[in-house]
Amino acid sequence: MDAFTAGLLQRIKATETDLTRARDEGDDFAVQVELGELDDLRRLAAEHGVEVGMSAA
């Protein structure tokens, strides 16, 4: 796995963790921010052929 793929997957995992935390805390604004970030990261992954598994969103 190259550095780009590893970094992208790590960012996705961190964003999913942050999303779960925001949901648990009931922070609706943070949930929306994290969902937007996750959408952007997934789009970037798709554009570069990076497989992303099932997630929290």
Side-chain angles (χ1 to χ4, degrees):
M1 176 180 312
D2 63 32
F4 173 80
T5 300
L8 183 57
L9 293 174
Q10 182 178 15
R11 286 180 61 196
I12 290 170
K13 182 176 173 75
T15 302
E16 290 173 341
T17 299
D18 293 343
L19 174 60
T20 299
R21 184 179 307 117
R23 284 180 172 157
D24 290 346
E25 293 174 357
D27 187 340
D28 293 336
F29 177 74
V31 167
Q32 293 305 310
V33 169
E34 298 304 335
L35 284 172
E37 179 71 10
L38 198 51
D39 285 345
D40 289 344
L41 291 169
R42 287 179 177 159
R43 189 176 309 111
L44 184 61
E47 289 172 0
H48 291 276
V50 175
E51 281 283 325
V52 178
M54 297 302 291
S55 65

